[in-house]
Amino acid sequence: MEFYPLTTKIRAYWENISTSYWFIPACLMLLSVVLCSLCLALVQRASIPGWLLAFFPIVTQSGAQQLLATLATSIITATSIAFSMTLVALVMASSQFGPRLLRTFMLDKGTQVVLGVLVSTFLFCLISLHHLSSITQNEDALSIISGLSALLTILDVFCIIYFIHHLAKFIQADEIIYRCFSDFIGDIDSLLPRPEDQVDERPLAEELAVRTSNSITLFSECCNYVQTINYRELVNRNPDLIAGVEVFVRSGDYVVEGDPLITVYGRCEISKEIVAKYRKCLVFGRQRTPVQDPEFAISQLVEIALRALSPGINDPYTAITCLDRLTSACVIMHDREFPANCVVNTATDIWLLRRTFALASVINTAFDQIRQAGESHMAINLHLMHCYTKLKSHLDTQYHPLLKKHAKATTYLASQKTFSDKEQNELEEANKRFVETT
């Protein structure tokens, strides 16, 4: 159990690393240094298969120097162009889709690998040039380094072609929306784990969570977002002393200094030193992450739709695509079981009371702002009614009153705008179909 805090922090750190442009390029640059060292010290031309010898002809020192200098100059030029194209794409994505969507762009492994291959090839040529004067008598090393540099340059050419095609495809609105949705699908198991994955926990009625008089509350010492909370460690730590733990925040919440975070209830008197260690179970950061936040991906799709409906862009088709993906996300989440507000660990008998996510709040997050921003677009109003109808056919009856409130709010906002009789009749018909569905 002592590995849980480390695992939680690693997940938060890995989220930051995977959305950076330095990790994969740095790994490939290190690989190029190792490869260059092997060519200089270990690899012999005689050990190369015969069908590859044509790529590694015997070259002179001056020929190798000219080749490496030419390749290094060409590659660094291509690298600068690739970085410029990436920055242009990021600026356009920030202005059109929203600055928080930059995470999706920076998470793209294709761009990271292309940039890494280009930079690592340049580094390979640079290191080879630096050692060229010391290998005048080693013709094998000269031929292998020259041939390998040429092969890497050929690889760079294909990478640049792929990069241009990939970037042109990636900046399309439908592709961005699909990426956000697929990221959500990939994280669904960690966001909403199945009950069988937590066999040592069972739901507990909140009335049975006895709050003892021996309690200590931890308060926030920073002003940041809650990124992850290690709930399993909270219900496994000090079972002989702790009766229960109440968590007042959840992933995605913003806390200021002095906000209550956790209250620990002891079976007997507990020390502040013991309770202070519980602070390590919470990871804070400057921004929200999707690690434990089901509404993060939903918010990304909502932001794309809101940008599309802004007067400067005015693209209702993009907003309609977002609504379709949001509807699918709600249906998928409905098929999963949301964590209970109160659980007890059957092994330690420690109860945990927490704020959790619910499907109703996800539905509100998905549709409220889009409905408000799209009230003057009849196409958006009609598609919202279509989405409510589809959700009503897939969700349990307990969510039907909530969907009815959304439908009523949509028709009310539309009634405040001036539309033609034809459009008003279409909205009324859509509302009737929604009411008639079972």
Side-chain angles (χ1 to χ4, degrees), residues 199-281:
V199 294
D200 57 346
E201 295 180 5
R202 63 177 177 83
L204 180 71
E206 187 173 342
E207 296 78 15
L208 300 178
V210 181
R211 296 175 173 85
T212 63
S213 58
N214 301 309
S215 63
I216 297 179
T217 301
L218 292 177
F219 296 92
S220 172
E221 298 178 348
C222 62
C223 299
N224 270 325
Y225 287 96
V226 180
Q227 292 184 337
T228 57
I229 302 175
N230 196 329
Y231 294 110
R232 290 185 60 81
E233 176 64 13
L234 290 175
V235 295
N236 280 280
R237 185 186 289 270
N238 303 317
D240 54 332
L241 299 176
I242 306 304
V245 179
E246 185 174 3
V247 184
F248 302 105
V249 295
R250 66 183 183 186
S251 299
D253 284 353
Y254 183 80
V255 296
V256 299
E257 188 174 351
D259 282 351
L261 300 176
I262 300 175
T263 295
V264 180
Y265 298 91
R267 305 182 192 274
C268 56
E269 188 174 353
I270 52 179
S271 64
K272 293 183 178 180
E273 290 74 15
I274 293 177
V275 177
K277 296 180 180 179
Y278 282 79
R279 194 180 298 275
K280 297 181 180 179
C281 296

Coordinates of all heavy atoms in Angstrom, one line a residue, residues 199-281:
V199 N -12.3 -4.4 -5.1 CA -13.1 -5.5 -4.3 C -13.0 -5.2 -2.8 O -13.9 -5.8 -2.1 CB -12.4 -6.9 -4.7 CG1 -12.7 -7.2 -6.1 CG2 -10.9 -6.9 -4.3
D200 N -12.1 -4.4 -2.3 CA -12.0 -4.2 -0.9 C -12.8 -3.0 -0.4 O -12.7 -2.6 0.7 CB -10.6 -4.0 -0.5 CG -9.9 -2.9 -1.2 OD1 -10.4 -2.5 -2.2 OD2 -8.8 -2.5 -0.8
E201 N -13.6 -2.4 -1.3 CA -14.5 -1.3 -1.0 C -15.9 -1.6 -1.3 O -16.2 -2.2 -2.3 CB -14.0 0.0 -1.7 CG -12.6 0.5 -1.4 CD -12.2 1.8 -2.1 OE1 -13.1 2.3 -2.8 OE2 -11.1 2.2 -2.0
R202 N -16.8 -1.1 -0.4 CA -18.2 -1.2 -0.7 C -18.9 0.1 -0.3 O -18.5 0.8 0.6 CB -18.8 -2.4 0.1 CG -18.7 -2.3 1.6 CD -19.4 -3.5 2.3 NE -19.2 -3.5 3.7 CZ -20.0 -2.8 4.5 NH1 -21.0 -2.1 4.0 NH2 -19.8 -2.8 5.8
P203 N -20.0 0.4 -0.9 CA -20.8 1.6 -0.5 C -21.3 1.6 0.9 O -21.5 0.5 1.4 CB -21.9 1.7 -1.5 CG -21.5 0.8 -2.7 CD -20.6 -0.3 -2.1
L204 N -21.4 2.7 1.5 CA -21.8 2.8 2.9 C -22.8 4.0 3.0 O -22.6 5.0 2.4 CB -20.6 3.0 3.8 CG -20.9 3.2 5.3 CD1 -21.3 1.8 5.9 CD2 -19.7 3.7 6.1
A205 N -23.9 3.8 3.8 CA -24.8 4.9 4.0 C -24.1 6.0 4.8 O -23.4 5.7 5.7 CB -26.0 4.3 4.8
E206 N -24.3 7.2 4.4 CA -23.6 8.3 5.0 C -23.9 8.4 6.5 O -23.1 8.8 7.3 CB -24.0 9.6 4.3 CG -23.2 10.8 4.8 CD -23.5 12.1 4.0 OE1 -24.0 11.9 2.9 OE2 -23.2 13.2 4.5
E207 N -25.1 7.9 6.9 CA -25.5 8.0 8.3 C -24.6 7.1 9.2 O -24.4 7.3 10.4 CB -26.9 7.6 8.5 CG -27.9 8.6 7.9 CD -28.0 8.3 6.4 OE1 -27.6 7.3 5.9 OE2 -28.6 9.2 5.7
L208 N -24.0 6.0 8.6 CA -23.2 5.1 9.3 C -21.7 5.6 9.4 O -20.9 4.9 10.1 CB -23.2 3.7 8.6 CG -24.6 3.1 8.5 CD1 -24.5 1.7 7.8 CD2 -25.2 2.9 9.9
A209 N -21.4 6.6 8.8 CA -20.1 7.2 8.9 C -20.0 8.1 10.1 O -20.4 9.2 10.1 CB -19.7 8.0 7.6
V210 N -19.6 7.5 11.2 CA -19.6 8.1 12.5 C -18.4 9.1 12.7 O -17.3 8.7 12.6 CB -19.5 7.1 13.7 CG1 -19.6 7.8 15.0 CG2 -20.7 6.1 13.5
R211 N -18.7 10.3 12.8 CA -17.7 11.4 13.0 C -17.4 11.5 14.5 O -18.2 11.9 15.3 CB -18.2 12.7 12.5 CG -18.5 12.8 11.0 CD -19.1 14.1 10.6 NE -19.2 14.3 9.2 CZ -20.3 13.8 8.4 NH1 -21.3 13.2 9.1 NH2 -20.3 14.0 7.1
T212 N -16.2 11.0 14.8 CA -15.8 11.0 16.2 C -15.3 12.4 16.6 O -15.1 13.3 15.8 CB -14.6 10.0 16.4 OG1 -13.5 10.4 15.6 CG2 -15.1 8.6 16.0
S213 N -15.2 12.6 17.9 CA -14.7 13.9 18.5 C -13.2 14.1 18.3 O -12.7 15.2 18.3 CB -15.1 14.0 19.9 OG -14.5 12.9 20.7
N214 N -12.5 13.0 18.0 CA -11.0 13.1 17.8 C -10.8 13.4 16.3 O -10.6 12.4 15.5 CB -10.3 11.8 18.3 CG -10.6 11.5 19.7 OD1 -10.4 12.4 20.6 ND2 -11.0 10.3 20.0
S215 N -10.8 14.6 16.0 CA -10.7 14.9 14.5 C -9.7 16.1 14.3 O -9.6 17.0 15.2 CB -12.0 15.3 13.9 OG -12.6 16.5 14.5
I216 N -9.0 16.1 13.2 CA -8.1 17.1 12.8 C -8.4 17.5 11.3 O -8.5 16.5 10.5 CB -6.7 16.7 13.0 CG1 -6.4 16.5 14.5 CG2 -5.7 17.8 12.5 CD1 -4.9 16.0 14.8
T217 N -8.5 18.7 11.0 CA -8.7 19.2 9.7 C -7.5 19.7 9.0 O -6.8 20.5 9.7 CB -9.8 20.2 9.6 OG1 -11.0 19.6 10.2 CG2 -10.1 20.7 8.2
L218 N -7.2 19.3 7.8 CA -6.1 19.9 7.0 C -6.6 21.0 6.1 O -7.6 20.8 5.5 CB -5.4 18.8 6.2 CG -4.6 17.7 7.0 CD1 -4.1 16.7 6.0 CD2 -3.5 18.3 7.8
F219 N -5.9 22.1 6.0 CA -6.3 23.2 5.2 C -5.3 23.4 4.1 O -4.1 23.0 4.2 CB -6.4 24.5 6.1 CG -7.4 24.4 7.1 CD1 -7.1 23.9 8.4 CD2 -8.7 24.8 6.8 CE1 -8.1 23.9 9.4 CE2 -9.7 24.7 7.8 CZ -9.4 24.2 9.1
S220 N -5.7 24.0 3.0 CA -4.9 24.3 1.9 C -3.8 25.3 2.2 O -4.0 26.2 2.9 CB -5.7 24.8 0.7 OG -4.9 25.2 -0.4
E221 N -2.6 25.0 1.7 CA -1.4 25.9 1.9 C -1.0 26.5 0.6 O 0.0 27.2 0.5 CB -0.2 25.1 2.4 CG -0.5 24.5 3.8 CD 0.7 23.7 4.3 OE1 1.6 23.4 3.5 OE2 0.7 23.3 5.5
C222 N -1.8 26.4 -0.5 CA -1.5 27.0 -1.8 C -2.8 27.4 -2.5 O -3.9 27.1 -2.0 CB -0.7 26.0 -2.6 SG -1.7 24.5 -3.0
C223 N -2.6 28.1 -3.6 CA -3.8 28.5 -4.4 C -3.6 27.8 -5.8 O -2.9 28.3 -6.7 CB -3.8 30.0 -4.6 SG -4.1 30.9 -3.1
N224 N -4.2 26.6 -5.9 CA -4.0 25.8 -7.1 C -5.2 24.9 -7.4 O -6.1 24.9 -6.6 CB -2.7 24.9 -7.0 CG -1.5 25.6 -7.6 OD1 -1.5 26.4 -8.5 ND2 -0.3 25.4 -6.9
Y225 N -5.1 24.2 -8.5 CA -6.2 23.2 -8.8 C -5.8 21.8 -8.2 O -4.6 21.5 -8.1 CB -6.3 23.0 -10.3 CG -7.0 24.2 -11.0 CD1 -6.3 25.2 -11.6 CD2 -8.4 24.3 -11.0 CE1 -6.9 26.2 -12.2 CE2 -9.0 25.3 -11.7 CZ -8.3 26.3 -12.3 OH -8.9 27.4 -12.9
V226 N -6.8 21.1 -7.7 CA -6.6 19.8 -7.3 C -6.6 18.9 -8.5 O -7.5 18.8 -9.3 CB -7.8 19.3 -6.3 CG1 -7.6 17.9 -5.9 CG2 -7.9 20.2 -5.2
Q227 N -5.5 18.2 -8.7 CA -5.3 17.4 -9.9 C -5.6 15.9 -9.6 O -6.4 15.3 -10.4 CB -3.8 17.5 -10.4 CG -3.5 18.8 -10.9 CD -2.1 18.9 -11.5 OE1 -1.2 18.1 -11.2 NE2 -1.9 19.9 -12.4
T228 N -5.1 15.3 -8.6 CA -5.5 13.9 -8.2 C -5.6 13.8 -6.7 O -4.9 14.5 -5.9 CB -4.4 13.0 -8.7 OG1 -3.1 13.3 -8.2 CG2 -4.3 12.9 -10.2
I229 N -6.4 12.8 -6.3 CA -6.6 12.5 -4.9 C -6.4 11.0 -4.8 O -7.1 10.2 -5.5 CB -7.9 12.9 -4.3 CG1 -8.1 14.4 -4.5 CG2 -8.1 12.6 -2.9 CD1 -9.5 14.9 -4.1
N230 N -5.5 10.5 -3.9 CA -5.3 9.1 -3.7 C -6.3 8.6 -2.7 O -6.0 8.5 -1.5 CB -3.9 8.8 -3.3 CG -3.5 7.4 -3.5 OD1 -4.3 6.5 -3.4 ND2 -2.2 7.2 -3.8
Y231 N -7.5 8.3 -3.1 CA -8.5 7.8 -2.2 C -8.1 6.4 -1.5 O -8.4 6.2 -0.3 CB -9.9 7.6 -2.9 CG -10.4 8.9 -3.4 CD1 -10.5 9.2 -4.7 CD2 -10.9 9.9 -2.5 CE1 -11.1 10.4 -5.2 CE2 -11.5 11.1 -2.9 CZ -11.5 11.4 -4.2 OH -12.1 12.6 -4.7
R232 N -7.5 5.6 -2.3 CA -7.2 4.3 -1.7 C -6.2 4.3 -0.6 O -6.3 3.6 0.4 CB -6.6 3.4 -2.9 CG -7.7 3.0 -3.9 CD -7.1 2.0 -4.9 NE -6.6 0.8 -4.3 CZ -7.4 -0.3 -3.9 NH1 -8.7 -0.2 -4.1 NH2 -6.9 -1.3 -3.4
E233 N -5.3 5.3 -0.7 CA -4.3 5.4 0.4 C -5.0 6.0 1.6 O -4.7 5.7 2.8 CB -3.2 6.3 0.0 CG -2.2 6.7 1.0 CD -1.4 5.4 1.6 OE1 -1.5 4.4 0.9 OE2 -0.7 5.5 2.6
L234 N -6.0 6.9 1.4 CA -6.7 7.5 2.5 C -7.4 6.4 3.4 O -7.6 6.6 4.6 CB -7.7 8.5 2.0 CG -7.1 9.8 1.4 CD1 -8.3 10.6 0.9 CD2 -6.4 10.6 2.5
V235 N -7.9 5.4 2.8 CA -8.7 4.3 3.5 C -7.8 3.2 3.9 O -8.3 2.1 4.4 CB -9.9 3.9 2.7 CG1 -10.9 5.0 2.5 CG2 -9.5 3.3 1.4
N236 N -6.5 3.3 3.6 CA -5.6 2.2 4.0 C -4.5 2.6 5.0 O -3.8 1.8 5.6 CB -4.8 1.6 2.8 CG -5.7 0.7 2.0 OD1 -5.8 -0.5 2.3 ND2 -6.3 1.2 0.9
R237 N -4.4 3.9 5.3 CA -3.4 4.4 6.2 C -3.8 4.4 7.7 O -4.9 4.8 8.0 CB -3.0 5.8 5.8 CG -1.8 6.4 6.6 CD -1.7 7.9 6.2 NE -1.1 8.1 4.9 CZ 0.2 8.1 4.6 NH1 1.0 8.0 5.6 NH2 0.6 8.2 3.4
N238 N -3.0 3.8 8.5 CA -3.2 3.8 10.0 C -4.5 3.2 10.4 O -5.3 3.9 11.0 CB -3.0 5.2 10.6 CG -1.7 5.9 10.2 OD1 -0.6 5.2 10.4 ND2 -1.7 7.1 9.9
P239 N -4.8 2.0 10.0 CA -6.2 1.5 10.4 C -6.4 1.3 11.9 O -7.6 1.2 12.3 CB -6.2 0.1 9.6 CG -4.7 -0.3 9.5 CD -4.0 1.0 9.3
D240 N -5.3 1.2 12.6 CA -5.5 1.1 14.1 C -5.9 2.4 14.8 O -6.4 2.4 15.9 CB -4.3 0.5 14.7 CG -3.0 1.3 14.4 OD1 -3.0 1.9 13.3 OD2 -2.0 1.3 15.1
L241 N -5.6 3.5 14.1 CA -5.9 4.8 14.7 C -7.0 5.6 14.1 O -7.7 6.3 14.7 CB -4.6 5.7 14.6 CG -3.3 5.2 15.3 CD1 -2.2 6.1 15.0 CD2 -3.6 5.1 16.8
I242 N -7.2 5.4 12.8 CA -8.2 6.2 12.0 C -9.5 5.5 11.8 O -9.6 4.3 11.4 CB -7.6 6.6 10.6 CG1 -6.2 7.2 10.8 CG2 -8.5 7.5 9.9 CD1 -6.2 8.4 11.7
A243 N -10.6 6.2 12.1 CA -11.9 5.7 11.9 C -12.5 6.0 10.6 O -13.2 5.2 10.0 CB -12.9 6.2 13.0
G244 N -12.2 7.2 10.1 CA -12.8 7.7 8.8 C -12.1 8.9 8.3 O -11.4 9.6 9.1
V245 N -12.3 9.3 7.1 CA -11.7 10.4 6.5 C -12.8 11.1 5.6 O -13.5 10.5 4.9 CB -10.6 10.1 5.6 CG1 -10.0 11.3 4.9 CG2 -9.5 9.3 6.3
E246 N -13.0 12.4 5.8 CA -13.9 13.2 5.0 C -13.1 14.2 4.1 O -12.3 14.9 4.6 CB -14.8 14.0 5.9 CG -15.9 14.7 5.1 CD -16.9 15.4 6.0 OE1 -16.8 15.3 7.3 OE2 -17.9 16.0 5.5
V247 N -13.3 14.1 2.8 CA -12.6 14.9 1.8 C -13.6 15.9 1.3 O -14.7 15.6 0.8 CB -12.1 14.0 0.6 CG1 -11.3 14.9 -0.3 CG2 -11.2 12.9 1.2
F248 N -13.2 17.2 1.3 CA -14.1 18.3 1.0 C -13.9 18.7 -0.5 O -14.7 19.5 -1.0 CB -13.9 19.5 1.9 CG -14.1 19.2 3.3 CD1 -13.1 19.0 4.2 CD2 -15.4 19.0 3.8 CE1 -13.3 18.7 5.5 CE2 -15.6 18.7 5.2 CZ -14.5 18.5 6.0
V249 N -12.9 18.3 -1.1 CA -12.6 18.7 -2.5 C -12.6 17.5 -3.4 O -12.5 16.4 -3.0 CB -11.2 19.5 -2.6 CG1 -11.3 20.8 -1.8 CG2 -10.1 18.6 -2.1
R250 N -12.6 17.8 -4.7 CA -12.5 16.7 -5.7 C -11.6 17.2 -6.8 O -11.3 18.4 -6.9 CB -13.8 16.3 -6.2 CG -14.5 17.4 -7.0 CD -15.9 16.9 -7.5 NE -16.6 17.9 -8.3 CZ -17.8 17.8 -8.8 NH1 -18.6 16.8 -8.4 NH2 -18.3 18.8 -9.5
S251 N -11.2 16.3 -7.7 CA -10.3 16.7 -8.8 C -11.0 17.7 -9.7 O -12.1 17.6 -10.0 CB -9.9 15.4 -9.6 OG -9.3 14.5 -8.8
G252 N -10.2 18.7 -10.0 CA -10.7 19.8 -10.8 C -11.1 21.0 -10.0 O -11.3 22.1 -10.6
D253 N -11.3 20.9 -8.7 CA -11.6 22.0 -7.9 C -10.4 23.0 -7.7 O -9.3 22.6 -7.7 CB -12.0 21.6 -6.5 CG -13.4 21.0 -6.5 OD1 -14.1 21.1 -7.5 OD2 -13.8 20.4 -5.4
Y254 N -10.7 24.3 -7.6 CA -9.7 25.3 -7.3 C -9.8 25.7 -5.9 O -10.9 26.0 -5.4 CB -9.9 26.5 -8.2 CG -8.8 27.6 -8.0 CD1 -7.6 27.4 -8.6 CD2 -9.0 28.7 -7.2 CE1 -6.6 28.4 -8.4 CE2 -8.1 29.6 -7.0 CZ -6.8 29.5 -7.6 OH -5.8 30.4 -7.4
V255 N -8.7 25.6 -5.2 CA -8.6 25.9 -3.8 C -7.7 27.1 -3.5 O -6.8 27.3 -4.3 CB -8.1 24.7 -2.9 CG1 -9.1 23.5 -3.0 CG2 -6.7 24.3 -3.4
V256 N -8.1 27.9 -2.6 CA -7.3 29.0 -2.1 C -6.7 28.7 -0.8 O -7.1 27.7 -0.1 CB -8.1 30.3 -2.1 CG1 -8.6 30.7 -3.5 CG2 -9.2 30.2 -1.1
E257 N -5.7 29.4 -0.4 CA -5.0 29.2 0.9 C -6.0 29.3 2.0 O -6.7 30.3 2.2 CB -3.9 30.1 1.1 CG -3.0 29.8 2.3 CD -1.8 30.7 2.3 OE1 -1.5 31.4 1.3 OE2 -1.0 30.7 3.3
G258 N -6.1 28.3 2.9 CA -7.0 28.3 4.0 C -8.3 27.5 3.8 O -9.0 27.3 4.8
D259 N -8.5 27.0 2.6 CA -9.7 26.2 2.3 C -9.5 24.8 3.0 O -8.5 24.2 3.0 CB -9.9 26.0 0.8 CG -10.6 27.2 0.2 OD1 -11.0 28.1 0.9 OD2 -10.6 27.2 -1.1
P260 N -10.6 24.2 3.6 CA -10.5 22.9 4.2 C -10.3 21.8 3.1 O -11.0 21.9 2.1 CB -11.8 22.8 5.0 CG -12.8 23.7 4.3 CD -11.9 24.8 3.8
L261 N -9.5 20.9 3.3 CA -9.2 19.8 2.4 C -9.7 18.5 2.9 O -10.5 17.8 2.3 CB -7.7 19.7 2.1 CG -7.0 20.9 1.5 CD1 -5.5 20.7 1.3 CD2 -7.6 21.3 0.1
I262 N -9.2 18.1 4.1 CA -9.5 16.8 4.6 C -9.7 16.9 6.1 O -9.0 17.7 6.8 CB -8.4 15.8 4.4 CG1 -8.1 15.6 2.9 CG2 -8.6 14.4 5.0 CD1 -6.9 14.7 2.6
T263 N -10.7 16.2 6.6 CA -10.9 16.0 8.1 C -10.7 14.5 8.4 O -11.3 13.7 7.8 CB -12.2 16.5 8.6 OG1 -12.3 17.9 8.3 CG2 -12.4 16.2 10.0
V264 N -9.7 14.2 9.3 CA -9.4 12.9 9.7 C -10.0 12.6 11.1 O -9.8 13.4 12.0 CB -7.9 12.7 9.7 CG1 -7.6 11.2 10.1 CG2 -7.3 13.0 8.4
Y265 N -10.8 11.6 11.2 CA -11.5 11.2 12.4 C -10.8 10.0 13.0 O -10.6 8.9 12.4 CB -13.0 10.9 12.2 CG -13.8 12.1 11.7 CD1 -13.9 12.3 10.3 CD2 -14.3 13.0 12.6 CE1 -14.6 13.4 9.9 CE2 -15.1 14.1 12.1 CZ -15.2 14.3 10.8 OH -15.9 15.4 10.3
G266 N -10.3 10.1 14.3 CA -9.6 9.0 14.9 C -10.4 8.2 15.8 O -11.4 8.7 16.4
R267 N -10.0 7.0 16.0 CA -10.6 6.1 17.0 C -10.2 6.5 18.4 O -10.9 6.2 19.4 CB -10.2 4.6 16.7 CG -10.5 4.1 15.3 CD -10.1 2.7 15.1 NE -10.1 2.3 13.7 CZ -11.2 1.9 13.1 NH1 -12.3 1.8 13.7 NH2 -11.1 1.6 11.8
C268 N -9.1 7.1 18.5 CA -8.6 7.7 19.7 C -7.9 9.0 19.4 O -8.0 9.5 18.2 CB -7.6 6.8 20.4 SG -6.2 6.3 19.4
E269 N -7.3 9.6 20.3 CA -6.6 10.9 20.1 C -5.5 10.7 19.1 O -4.7 9.8 19.3 CB -6.1 11.5 21.4 CG -5.6 12.9 21.2 CD -5.2 13.6 22.5 OE1 -5.5 13.0 23.6 OE2 -4.7 14.7 22.5
I270 N -5.4 11.5 18.1 CA -4.4 11.4 17.0 C -3.5 12.7 17.0 O -4.0 13.8 17.3 CB -5.0 11.1 15.6 CG1 -6.1 12.2 15.3 CG2 -5.5 9.7 15.5 CD1 -6.7 12.0 13.9
S271 N -2.3 12.5 16.6 CA -1.4 13.7 16.6 C -1.4 14.4 15.2 O -1.8 13.8 14.2 CB 0.0 13.2 16.8 OG 0.5 12.3 15.8
K272 N -1.1 15.6 15.2 CA -1.0 16.4 14.0 C 0.0 15.9 13.0 O -0.1 16.0 11.8 CB -0.8 17.9 14.3 CG -1.9 18.6 15.0 CD -1.6 20.0 15.3 CE -2.8 20.7 16.0 NZ -2.6 22.2 16.2
E273 N 1.1 15.3 13.6 CA 2.2 14.8 12.7 C 1.7 13.6 11.9 O 2.0 13.5 10.7 CB 3.4 14.3 13.6 CG 4.1 15.4 14.2 CD 3.4 16.0 15.4 OE1 2.4 15.4 15.9 OE2 3.8 17.1 15.8
I274 N 0.8 12.8 12.4 CA 0.2 11.7 11.7 C -0.7 12.2 10.6 O -0.7 11.7 9.4 CB -0.5 10.7 12.6 CG1 0.5 10.0 13.5 CG2 -1.3 9.7 11.8 CD1 -0.1 9.1 14.6
V275 N -1.5 13.1 10.9 CA -2.5 13.7 10.0 C -1.8 14.5 8.9 O -2.3 14.5 7.7 CB -3.6 14.5 10.7 CG1 -4.5 15.1 9.7 CG2 -4.3 13.7 11.8
A276 N -0.7 15.1 9.2 CA 0.0 15.9 8.2 C 0.4 15.1 7.0 O 0.5 15.6 5.9 CB 1.1 16.7 8.8
K277 N 0.7 13.8 7.2 CA 1.1 13.0 6.1 C 0.0 12.7 5.1 O 0.3 12.3 4.0 CB 1.7 11.6 6.7 CG 2.9 11.8 7.6 CD 3.3 10.4 8.1 CE 4.6 10.6 9.0 NZ 5.0 9.3 9.5
Y278 N -1.2 12.9 5.5 CA -2.3 12.8 4.5 C -2.3 13.8 3.4 O -2.9 13.6 2.4 CB -3.7 12.8 5.3 CG -4.0 11.6 6.0 CD1 -3.4 11.3 7.3 CD2 -4.9 10.7 5.5 CE1 -3.7 10.1 8.0 CE2 -5.2 9.5 6.2 CZ -4.6 9.2 7.4 OH -4.9 8.1 8.1
R279 N -1.6 14.9 3.7 CA -1.5 15.9 2.6 C -0.9 15.4 1.4 O -1.1 15.9 0.3 CB -0.7 17.1 3.2 CG -0.9 18.4 2.4 CD -0.1 19.5 3.0 NE -0.6 19.8 4.4 CZ -1.6 20.7 4.6 NH1 -2.2 21.3 3.6 NH2 -2.0 20.9 5.8
K280 N 0.0 14.4 1.5 CA 0.7 13.9 0.3 C -0.2 13.1 -0.6 O 0.1 12.8 -1.7 CB 1.8 13.0 0.8 CG 2.9 13.7 1.5 CD 4.0 12.7 1.9 CE 5.2 13.4 2.7 NZ 6.2 12.5 3.1
C281 N -1.4 12.8 -0.1 CA -2.4 12.1 -0.9 C -3.1 13.0 -1.9 O -3.9 12.5 -2.8 CB -3.4 11.4 0.0 SG -2.8 10.1 1.0

